[in-house]
Amino acid sequence: MVGFGYDVHKLAEGESLILGGIKIDSPIGTVAHSDGDVLIHAVIDAILGAAGLGDIGEHFPDTDDKWKGADSTKLLKAVMGMIREEGLHLINVDAIIVMEKPKLSPHKEKIKLKLAELLHLPPKKVNIKATTSEKMGFIGRGEGVAVHAVCMLENK
Ligand code: MG
């Protein structure tokens, strides 16, 4: 089964930028109820989608103080547990981070390795791409970051 996930977060100066559980050295970061790990949020939605388990907001509502400042790697671990219980197995994940700056090319490999570890996948089965929005729209103006992710699940 294929699953698709999308997430967007607002960017602001002085906030931290965490992508795939990796803290990126950046003067701007995501504004969020949780730790704002927009990449993990999109990957979670892709996995939940493939499993037919709804979306991230149903499982971890941002109105619940339980998830305030939540470490997104923990949410991802919980979701990995959910699919295991469903007898499902993750095959691969492909994601694209759309962000004007900072440049993510120096960080992609580290993000991939961390995400592969969290997903219990070999690094080759996790692909992280980065692009800009060519200075157009809210992403191009540096106001936000978006991530699109797909994944494949199979029955064990
Ligand atoms: Mg989010």
Side-chain angles (χ1 to χ4, degrees):
M1 298 80 73
V2 67
F4 172 71
Y6 171 78
D7 194 27
V8 60
H9 276 267
K10 194 175 172 179
L11 289 167
E13 273 178 34
E15 299 284 346
S16 55
L17 180 64
I18 300 170
L19 294 170
I22 298 290
K23 193 170 187 310
I24 310 286
D25 188 25
S26 165
I28 51 167
T30 52
V31 179
H33 182 75
S34 67
D35 65 357
D37 196 326
V38 60
L39 172 58
I40 287 189
H41 297 173
V43 168
I44 284 176
D45 259 354
I47 295 171
L48 290 173
L53 290 172
D55 67 35
I56 189 169
E58 292 170 29
H59 297 280
F60 314 106
D62 63 7
T63 48
D64 190 340
D65 271 353
K66 195 176 161 191
W67 308 116
K68 197 158 189 275
D71 177 350
S72 296
T73 64
K74 292 203 176 108
L75 310 188
L76 182 55
K77 278 177 192 159
V79 169
M80 292 304 287
M82 286 177 210
I83 64 164
R84 206 175 311 125
E85 270 176 36
E86 297 277 326
L88 296 166
H89 174 75
L90 187 58
I91 299 174
N92 77 309
V93 168
D94 184 22
I96 184 157
I97 306 164
V98 194
M99 190 174 199
E100 211 62 30
K101 57 184 180 187
K103 281 271 168 266
L104 295 176
S105 43
H107 308 288
K108 282 194 298 185
E109 184 69 16
K110 208 172 164 190
I111 293 169
K112 179 178 86 169
L113 294 176
K114 176 69 176 177
L115 208 50
E117 178 197 320
L118 292 166
L119 296 167
H120 315 297
L121 284 174
K124 275 223 84 147
K125 300 292 180 183
V126 179
N127 197 72
I128 303 299
K129 304 189 291 283
T131 190
T132 70
S133 188
E134 296 281 340
K135 299 198 164 61
M136 294 179 289
F138 73 93
I139 292 173
R141 290 189 297 271
E143 293 167 12
V145 48
V147 176
H148 306 258
V150 290
C151 75
M152 187 73 85
L153 293 183
E154 66 180 352
N155 288 302
K156 249 182 210 157

